[in-house]
Each structure stands twice: as structure tokens, then as C-alpha cells.
Amino acid sequence: MAVFDVVILLFVVFGLAYIRVPIILWTGFIGVVLVLISLSGTLFFPFLALFWILFLAVAAFANLKQLRQKYFTIPLIEKLQKQMPSISETEREAIEAGNVWWEKDLFSGRPHWKKLLSMPSPKLSEEEQHFIDNQVETLCHMLNDWEILNNNHNLPDDVWQYLKNEKFFGLVIPKEYGGRGFSALAHSTMVVKIATRSISAAVNTMVPNSLGPGELLLHYGTDEQKKYYLPRLARGDDIPCFALTSPEAGSDAGSIIDKGIVCRGQYEGKEILGIRLTWDKRYITLAPVATVLGIAFRLYDPDNFLNKGKEDLGITLCLVPTSHPGVEIGNRHYPLHLAFMNGPTRGKDVFIPIEWIIGGVSNAGQGWKMLMECLSIGRSISLPALSTACAKLAFRMTGAYAQIRRQFNTEIANFEGVEEALGNIAGLTYLTESCRLFTVGAVDQNVKPSIASAIAKYHMTEMARKVIMHAMDVHAGHSIQIGPRNILATAHMAIPVSITVEGANILTRNLIIFGQGAIRCHPYLLQEIKLFSKPDSDEKMRSLDRILISHVGYLISNMVRTFWRGLTAGTLIFSPVRGPTARYYRQLSRMSSVLAFLSDVSILSLGGSLKRKERISARLGDILSQLYLASAVLKYFKDNDQPTSDLNYVRWCIEMSLYKMQVACNELLQNFPIKWMGKILHWIAFPYGTSYYKPNDDLHHKIVGTMINPSQFRDRLTDFCFISKDPNDPVRRLEVVLEQREEIEPLWNKFQEAIRKGILSRHASFAEQIDAADKLGVLNNAETRALRDFNSILKEVIKVNEFNFDLSAVIC
Ligand SMILES: Cc1cc2nc3c(=O)[nH]c(=O)nc-3n(C[C@H](O)[C@H](O)[C@H](O)COP(=O)(O)OP(=O)(O)OC[C@H]3O[C@@H](n4cnc5c(N)ncnc54)[C@H](O)[C@@H]3O)c2cc1C
């Protein structure tokens, strides 16, 4: 009976903490249970007394404000005040920019899966679909990437003109301003399709539609600026670029030294109020051909012309026509042999009217916030789309190649080693497509997903890097010899470029994802940081006391959840669905609790030093990111009506994500600065040790099976991968040879059987074997013809380019 009492008591204490009841109810319930136990008289008195003492101490601290403040909150505040990270103005603006979205649920320890599943599934409108099927298709046919990269080093004039005529640069500009008014999904899909044909063309096309003057004008421009510039941008009369990065300020772009001084000067024969602007920028995409230049600079107003009462007004953005006297553009950088436009721009003491500030004078000093908000939109679209394009192309082409390329008398897809590489390409392609659609879906729901976009940018570019490396390994020499026949080399060169732009990846992983994620998604942290930075007052103390006590309750609740869910291996957690994916919802909820718990312990125990402990922040960010990626996969599966063809892919992706979360936890806790605490935390999170494993060989084998043969699934996953109609195009050839291979399957098996039995020699070429089969009557005439056709196209597929001696001309 006594044991029963203790079990009931523990159940109430931990059960109520698990479901996060308010602290007053928690103590109330425990009090009632203790009274009942005391009345029943079954519990040994010393134990009962101990429970009462503990209870009264906790209840007093939790509910008696003055006592708590004196002995708990004030000492804690004094300790934390020294530890809390100090946040500069630019950091604060960056952290507060954009919205938090699904990441907040993942960070909370109890994601509302029904909310995820009821989010609208992204769909192209009829008009958008028509544009992709027609204008984008035509554009892709006009592009010859080899010529663009090696001979023109630019898009041909007719392509530039077509892009302008068909308003490719005005995709996201509303129709009222003459643009196409398309969704983020349409923009992303356009980038995917063009990038599978020519990455240089895709970059030239996506930049005006993403972070740049168009997006900034739409959100912050004055009516006059919108009316003047947006129609010009939509028609392609103006080509925009945006210049933030300078030689000294790269990742730390907030530290730019480019400056503008508010002053009076001459413009079009009149003396007006303006800015004397000096800048030195580099790496600027489209700068060499831009007609309108967006510039970020620090604005100073020493003579207080703008009546803002301070000299340094902060980062400000303006638009300057490149024809304006003093603007220097034209030189180019050469980003890893790609041919998109990228270069420096400079200007010294260039006088511009004050009205050229984006959004007018009222937006002077607001530039950093404006940039950060728009960054989350562009970052959700451009590089995720580019990465998905690389993955789709690699998936389709490598699967096909592995199925038709033979070594050791069998298709190379049959070798387990090759299968391992293929499986990784297959799974990661499914992940990138899911993540692309999930993230653009947020933008189309009018969210500016600041953390989700950082996760998508970082992980998708990294996944594309892995996919391309695996694809190169499978194609081997075929992918190394460059020339028009090489399908992968450009993607291989382009991936490091996409890794560097829009926030270089090391910084994004180590500083941004968790740094911004924790502060924005945590229910109390941002309020605490803001309160700590205020001068001491009674009001501050009262607010901090209230928030800190809730924070402690939240921490205890997450600890209880984490431990209980670990102890029961997540099996008792609610899942919003039944069937084979139910387990994954449960395990992801379990890991969401682990993230919430470990984040809080890290923040509370390391305080401000967490900002410097980037590897801790990176690993917590990895857990958040993997939860996000796995959610995207479940959403993609659901949006496609949960086809059985996808099940193994869903398994592969989520098992990989869970495994990576576990690795991140292990590395975090092994390297936790307080060693003993790391061990205890590990035991709480994983009471039985290892819980998750990488997808096994069998699962790998199954997903490769659907990758190497034509199927509806393969077509859906690689949707929008451009396949030329030209029979001499290397992508088209590989498609045709794979289809032929499938058509001749029975004949192929008969032919192979004759080789196995020794009727046909193993030591002859394929062509000689066909001749022998014909002579010996192994094949009839029609079969011989079919095999000869197959052989002739196969030879073309495995061929690589040859050049003349000085490499100036392709011979074949
Ligand atoms: C092809 C291309 C196109 C571009 N287009 C534009 C454009 O149109 N407009 C524009 O304004 N800019 C553009 N950029 C600039 C781009 O955004 C910057 O290159 C990028 O922000 C990184 O700056 P950096 O190259 O100077 O690297 P650095 O700042 O020198 O960084 C070097 C390394 O240190 C890491 N690092 C830096 N700080 C930290 C930290 N706190 N924690 C961890 N790691 C850190 C970085 O991740 C990186 O790996 C472009 C760049 C390229 C290459």
C-alpha cells in the first residue's frame, strides 16, 4: 500500500509537469494527494514527513513571491546578468527579422502535427504551370550551357532579350505593376527547371526575383519608387543588383564601412538635400550588367538635416541608376568558371538625392532590418531550388547511367558499393524536394521564415554537395572529362558557389540556425534578454521573477517529458496518423522534447558563453534542422496522398534524420563543457543508450530499385528536370537508352543467358557478341536489330569528349 502511495505521488508530480499545468495547480494537486495519503495512514511516518517538507519548500518558493524573490530570483538574476549574451543593435535587428513558423513547434517539445498536416499543399496555378511548360521550356531549348560557359562567358543576346520580353525578371512583381505576380512556388520551380539546363542562366534569372531591389521596393518602397521602378524591372528595362558585401565586410556585413553623409549638393542644376556616397563593393551578382544599383551603406547626418537627433543613423539602402555620374561598374569576377554576371562596384563622393533612399527619408537607418526580412524570402527560394535542381538531375542521370553501364559482366547498379552511393543520392533527392516545397509553402502563406530559410539554405546546399559527389563517383571518368557530353561537371562547380552566398554555410550552421532559432522560438528567452538589458527597477525585477519561474517550470516539464519518452522509447506518444509512419511522428516528438530540454540546459548553464561555443550551438542547430527536414518529408508524403511507392523513401529519410539527431546529441554531450552534467543529460535523454540507426542495407537496396528504372515515382520526384528533345543531347540520350534497356529486357536476359552458358564469348565486344548471336541463331533478325540499335546509342552515352591538342576545339 505504501508503495502504491509513493507511485501515485510520483505520478502526480511528474504527470502534471509532463502536461505542463500552471505551477499553482501543480502544487495544489500535489497538496491534495499528500493530504489524502496522510489521512489513509498507510505511508511510513518519516517518509511522509520528508515528502511534506519537500513539498512545502517547493510550494513556498513557487507561490510566495517575496520569499522566492529574496532567496531565488534575485540571486539568480545577479548570476545570470553577468552571463546573458549582450546583443548589438544589428544583431537584435537580425534576430528579430522575419517570422518564426513551424520551427517554433519543433522547438517547443510538443509539435502540433495536425497543424503541419493541415497546412495548404503548394500548387502551381494554371497560369504558372503554363509559363513553366511553355516560356521556361522554350528558354531551356535556347540554352547551350557549354557555349555559355566556355565560348560566350555570358548568355547570348537573344536569351537576354527573351528573358526580358517574357518578364522572367518580373516574376514576383504584382500584376498591377506589370509583373507576373507569381507565387514563390512558381519562382522556385522556374529556377529548378532552368538550373537543370544551365546554372548560369538560372542564377542570372533568379537574382532579380529574390533578394534585390524588386523585393525591397515591394515591401518598403515609396509609392513613387514603386510606380517608377517596378514596371521597369518587370519589363527588364532595368536590370537590378544589390550591393552589400565589401572587401572588409563579408559574413559580418553589418560592419560595412561604406558611408553616406547627408549634405546639400547639385543635382540636375538645382541645389537639393542629398547624400555624398562612397562605396567599394565586391562579389555583386548582376553588377556588371546592372542598370540600377541597390547599395547598403552607413548613413551619417553630422548637420542634423534629417532632424533625427543623432549623427550615425545606421545602415541605409538606396537605389542608384548605374548611369549616374561617378558609379563604377563593368569589371567582372569569375566565380568557379560559371558564366553568370558577378563583379565589383565602386563610387567615391557620389552625390545622390535623398529621395533615392528605399522607402524615403523615414527609412534612413532601417536598412539592416529591411535586408534581413527580405533575406528570409529569397533564401527560402533561390538556393534551395538550385540545390534541388542539382539533386534531381543527379538522381535521374546517375540512376540511368548505373543501369546501363556494365563492368565485370553486370550493370554497375548491381554492385553493393555503387548501390550505397545511389541510395544516398536517392534519399537526399527526396529530402531536398520535400524541403523545397515545404519552405516555399511558408513564403506562399505570407510567412518570412527566417530560421526555416537558414535551415533550408544550409542543409539543401550541403545535401546537393553530397549528391553531386556521389554522382561523380558513380559516373567516374565520365564525369571528370569536361565537354558538352558531361552532365555533372557544372553542378560540381556550382555547389561551392551556392554554399558561399546568402551567408556562408559555416556561419549559418554555427551561429544562425540555433542562435536565432533559440532566441526567436523559445517562449521566454527573448523576453529575458530584453529585460536583462534594461536598467534595474522594481518593475524589471517583478517581470523577470514571473518569467524566470515560468522558465524553470518549462525546463522541469521538458526534463520530465524527455526522460519519460526515453524510458518508454517514445511508444506512448500521441501520433496524428496510424500506419507505418505513426512511429516516426512519435520519435520526432520525442526528439523535439530532447531539443527543448538540452537547449534550455545549455542556455542556462553556459549563458552568454554559448555565443562563443559555436560547436554546441551548431549541434543543437543540427537537431532543430533534422526535425525540420523530417517534418518536410512527412508533409510531402501526405501532400502526395501517401503513395506506397514513397514509403521506403520516407523511412530512409526519417531514419537518417533521427540518426543524425542522435549523433548531434552524442557529440554535444560528449563535449559539454561541464563533463558530469553532459553524462547525466545523456542518461536522461537516452536512458537505454543508442536508440536510432542509419537506414539499413535492405532499405538502401529498395530505394535504389525505384531509382534505376523508369517509373511514375521517378518522374514525379524529378518533375521539372529539363529533358531536351534534341536526340544528340546527352540528357536525352541517357533517357532514351534507359527506356530502350527496359523495352529489350526479355531479349537482354536471353542474350545474357547465352553469355553465361558460354554460347557467346565473354571476351568479345558487345557488337561482336551481337554478330555471333545472329550467326548462331541465338537471336532472330528483329532481336538483332533491337540490340544493335541499343548498342549504338549506348556507345554514344558512354563516350566522352575529345579535344584538339590545345583544347581550343571539341573534336567529338
Ligand atoms: C558568387 C557570389 C555571389 C554573391 N552575390 C552577392 C550579391 O549579389 N550581393 C552581395 O552583397 N553579396 C554577394 N555575395 C557575397 C556573399 O554573400 C559573401 O561572400 C558571404 O557573405 C561570405 O563573405 P566572405 O566570402 O567575405 O567570407 P568571410 O566573411 O571572409 O568568411 C570566411 C569564412 O569564415 C566563416 N565565418 C565568418 N564569420 C563566422 C562566425 N561568426 N562563425 C563561424 N564562421 C564564420 C564563414 O562562414 C566562411 O566560411 C556573393 C558572393 C559570391 C561568392
Side-chain angles (χ1 to χ4, degrees):
M1 210 45 193
V3 174
F4 183 68
D5 287 345
V6 174
V7 169
I8 293 279
L9 187 61
L10 290 178
F11 192 75
V12 171
V13 171
F14 292 116
L16 295 180
Y18 184 97
I19 58 169
R20 290 186 191 162
V21 296
I23 205 128
I24 184 104
L25 278 184
W26 187 60
T27 44
F29 270 111
I30 299 170
V32 171
V33 171
L34 268 179
V35 169
L36 291 175
I37 292 174
S38 310
L39 291 177
S40 73
T42 46
L43 197 62
F44 186 46
F45 180 74
F47 280 125
L48 191 63
L50 180 70
F51 286 142
W52 270 109
I53 292 168
L54 281 175
F55 167 70
L56 289 173
V58 173
F61 268 101
N63 299 300
L64 300 178
K65 273 191 196 157
Q66 282 183 340
L67 184 78
R68 180 176 71 222
Q69 284 178 7
K70 186 167 176 197
Y71 293 104
F72 175 73
T73 324
I74 294 177
L76 184 66
I77 290 171
E78 278 167 3
K79 186 173 179 313
L80 289 179
Q81 194 117 22
K82 292 184 206 128
Q83 288 189 359
M84 271 290 160
S86 58
I87 295 191
S88 67
E89 186 68 9
T90 32
E91 280 176 320
R92 192 183 56 74
E93 283 177 353
I95 284 169
E96 289 183 2
N99 316 112
V100 279
W101 179 59
W102 177 244
E103 323 84 279
K104 189 163 184 151
D105 271 73
L106 295 174
F107 209 90
S108 70
R110 53 173 177 193
H112 291 94
W113 294 112
K114 285 194 173 155
K115 186 167 111 191
L116 175 93
L117 297 177
S118 62
M119 285 177 192
S121 54
K123 289 241 165 0
L124 291 173
S125 69
E126 257 179 51
E127 192 187 345
E128 292 169 342
Q129 186 72 54
H130 183 272
F131 178 77
I132 303 284
D133 293 342
N134 292 278
Q135 283 91 335
V136 179
E137 180 81 11
T138 306
L139 171 72
C140 288
H141 276 290
M142 292 168 81
L143 298 168
N144 178 335
D145 203 40
W146 176 257
E147 288 294 315
I148 292 170
L149 288 180
N150 297 284
N151 297 333
N152 303 343
H153 305 295
N154 188 5
L155 303 183
D157 289 346
D158 61 332
V159 170
W160 277 111
Q161 199 52 51
Y162 186 74
L163 290 171
K164 291 177 186 177
N165 293 348
E166 293 298 337
K167 297 187 179 169
F168 275 77
F169 300 138
L171 231 55
V172 295
I173 294 177
K175 288 188 174 160
E176 58 182 298
Y177 294 109
R180 287 195 173 270
F182 279 177
S183 61
L185 175 66
H187 178 195
S188 159
T189 309
M190 173 202 76
V191 176
V192 169
K193 188 157 178 171
I194 303 176
T196 56
R197 179 64 162 172
S198 162
I199 290 177
S200 301
V203 175
N204 275 340
T205 318
M206 78 193 188
V207 167
N209 286 300
S210 56
L211 176 64
E215 194 73 55
L216 289 163
L217 283 168
L218 268 175
H219 288 91
Y220 308 101
T222 59
D223 280 348
E224 211 174 310
Q225 287 170 338
K226 284 184 188 170
K227 277 188 198 139
Y228 178 75
Y229 275 117
L230 291 177
R232 294 177 61 81
L233 291 171
R235 287 192 303 267
D237 294 349
D238 269 325
I239 298 290
C241 70
F242 194 87
L244 168 66
T245 306
S246 51
E248 285 171 48
S251 304
D252 185 13
S255 68
I256 43 174
I257 50 167
D258 310 279
K259 75 174 172 187
I261 312 275
V262 182
C263 60
R264 298 194 74 81
Q266 290 290 319
Y267 178 68
E268 293 183 336
K270 286 188 204 145
E271 194 192 280
I272 56 160
L273 187 64
I275 301 170
R276 201 171 62 246
L277 191 57
T278 297
W279 72 95
D280 177 7
K281 304 286 192 180
R282 66 176 184 179
Y283 302 162
I284 310 307
T285 305
L286 290 184
V289 292
T291 59
V292 56
L293 177 65
I295 309 177
F297 59 96
R298 200 162 257 286
L299 183 63
Y300 296 89
D301 184 11
D303 299 317
N304 201 21
F305 281 114
L306 303 184
N307 277 327
K308 302 243 179 189
K310 55 180 179 180
E311 186 176 342
D312 180 355
L313 299 184
I315 293 176
T316 302
L317 315 181
C318 70
L319 283 184
V320 180
T322 53
S323 55
H324 189 67
V327 175
E328 282 179 42
I329 59 156
N331 287 355
R332 283 179 69 178
H333 299 307
Y334 199 177
L336 283 182
H337 205 74
L338 297 179
F340 67 90
M341 288 293 157
N342 187 266
T345 168
R346 296 178 187 95
K348 187 158 176 15
D349 293 332
V350 176
F351 182 76
I352 62 164
I354 197 89
E355 290 78 26
W356 289 6
I357 293 177
I358 300 178
V361 172
S362 60
N363 272 5
Q366 298 298 307
W368 193 245
K369 185 169 157 277
M370 291 157 67
L371 277 177
M372 289 301 112
E373 296 220 341
C374 285
L375 176 66
S376 56
I377 299 173
R379 200 166 55 182
S380 299
I381 302 170
S382 319
L383 297 169
L386 208 67
S387 307
T388 310
C390 293
K392 285 183 184 229
L393 188 71
F395 178 98
R396 210 168 164 99
M397 295 300 104
T398 314
Y401 188 76
Q403 182 68 328
I404 55 95
R405 173 72 174 157
R406 290 171 60 81
Q407 291 293 291
F408 300 96
N409 276 321
T410 185
E411 288 76 22
I412 58 171
N414 294 333
F415 299 119
E416 285 202 347
V418 173
E419 192 174 271
E420 189 179 356
L422 293 175
N424 287 324
I425 297 172
L428 293 175
T429 303
Y430 196 85
L431 256 173
T432 48
E433 176 67 342
S434 307
C435 189
R436 175 181 82 91
L437 294 173
F438 188 45
T439 313
V440 291
V443 178
D444 283 334
Q445 291 165 47
N446 288 326
V447 179
K448 291 177 188 159
S450 49
I451 300 140
S453 66
I455 294 175
K457 188 268 162 173
Y458 165 62
H459 284 276
M460 291 177 72
T461 51
E462 291 296 340
M463 285 192 272
R465 165 147 66 184
K466 286 198 186 104
V467 165
I468 294 298
M469 292 312 292
H470 287 306
M472 301 277 293
D473 287 349
V474 173
H475 285 254
H478 196 248
S479 65
I480 299 299
Q481 303 303 346
I482 62 167
R485 288 173 182 272
N486 190 320
I487 310 164
L488 294 171
T490 314
H492 180 248
M493 289 186 296
I495 289 297
V497 176
S498 57
I499 278 169
T500 305
V501 292
E502 291 184 6
N505 273 2
I506 297 182
L507 172 95
T508 307
R509 173 174 180 242
N510 286 266
L511 203 67
I512 303 209
I513 295 177
F514 182 75
Q516 192 178 10
I519 296 178
R520 288 299 300 278
C521 299
H522 194 284
Y524 307 109
L525 195 58
L526 186 54
Q527 297 175 63
E528 285 165 356
I529 292 175
K530 281 184 180 169
L531 278 171
F532 272 116
S533 64
K534 283 189 175 170
D536 286 344
S537 68
D538 285 351
E539 173 55 28
K540 168 180 165 177
M541 207 50 84
R542 273 196 300 278
S543 305
L544 267 175
D545 173 66
R546 190 171 29 80
I547 291 172
L548 280 173
I549 197 72
S550 306
H551 192 160
V552 171
Y554 177 75
L555 171 70
I556 294 172
S557 166
N558 280 325
M559 183 180 71
V560 171
R561 279 168 169 261
T562 300
F563 185 59
W564 175 248
R565 290 175 167 191
L567 212 57
T568 53
T571 48
L572 303 180
I573 303 173
F574 167 77
S575 163
V577 300
R578 290 184 181 178
T581 53
R583 172 175 177 264
Y584 297 129
Y585 285 94
R586 294 194 185 101
Q587 294 309 319
L588 294 175
S589 291
R590 176 183 168 194
M591 288 312 294
S592 169
S593 312
V594 172
L595 171 66
F597 174 55
L598 294 184
S599 302
D600 248 338
V601 179
S602 305
I603 292 164
L604 287 174
S605 57
L606 302 176
S609 64
L610 186 56
K611 208 171 150 186
R612 288 181 301 279
K613 292 270 171 211
E614 284 195 346
R615 294 171 86 169
I616 290 192
S617 159
R619 285 157 183 154
L620 288 165
D622 288 347
I623 307 173
L624 176 62
S625 303
Q626 292 302 331
L627 282 166
Y628 181 82
L629 295 174
S631 308
V633 167
L634 290 171
K635 180 81 172 81
Y636 179 77
F637 181 57
K638 191 251 165 193
D639 286 347
N640 283 292
D641 298 329
Q642 314 189 16
T644 33
S645 59
D646 289 34
L647 254 181
N648 288 325
Y649 277 78
V650 173
R651 280 196 189 112
W652 189 95
C653 294
I654 301 201
E655 285 176 16
M656 189 59 101
S657 283
L658 287 166
Y659 174 77
K660 286 185 176 168
M661 286 181 230
Q662 180 179 264
V663 170
C665 287
N666 287 346
E667 289 179 358
L668 167 77
L669 297 173
Q670 262 166 21
N671 294 287
F672 207 69
I674 309 165
K675 293 287 170 216
W676 60 265
M677 196 186 273
K679 288 197 173 113
I680 294 175
L681 293 175
H682 196 276
W683 180 76
I684 294 174
F686 298 99
Y688 306 121
T690 304
S691 299
Y692 306 116
Y693 298 89
K694 269 185 174 179
N696 64 26
D697 294 352
D698 185 42
L699 190 51
H700 236 71
H701 178 72
K702 284 179 182 151
I703 64 170
V704 170
T706 42
M707 174 193 188
I708 58 178
N709 291 306
S711 70
Q712 269 186 359
F713 168 81
R714 177 174 177 266
D715 288 344
R716 168 160 55 82
L717 187 60
T718 57
D719 205 5
F720 306 113
C721 187
F722 175 73
I723 314 282
S724 168
K725 296 188 177 76
D726 177 358
N728 293 321
D729 180 90
V731 174
R732 160 63 63 191
R733 262 199 223 111
L734 205 38
E735 285 292 311
V736 172
V737 80
L738 185 69
E739 279 162 21
Q740 283 196 4
R741 167 75 178 73
E742 213 198 16
E743 280 164 21
I744 62 162
E745 182 75 26
L747 157 65
W748 182 256
N749 292 340
K750 188 165 139 189
F751 184 69
Q752 292 304 321
E753 184 64 18
I755 297 173
R756 260 193 304 280
K757 286 185 177 158
I759 301 168
L760 302 175
S761 166
R762 277 177 197 278
H763 305 293
S765 69
F766 188 24
E768 287 165 346
Q769 286 170 333
I770 299 172
D771 288 344
D774 187 21
K775 243 189 230 157
L776 295 170
V778 174
L779 302 176
N780 63 31
N781 282 351
E783 288 173 336
T784 309
R785 245 193 334 272
L787 267 194
R788 284 206 175 112
D789 283 354
F790 176 65
N791 186 32
S792 69
I793 188 159
L794 183 67
K795 275 167 81 173
E796 281 301 307
V797 165
I798 58 177
K799 211 181 235 176
V800 297
N801 287 110
E802 290 174 25
F803 290 75
N804 63 355
F805 189 76
D806 66 6
L807 298 178
S808 59
V810 179
I811 295 172
C812 63

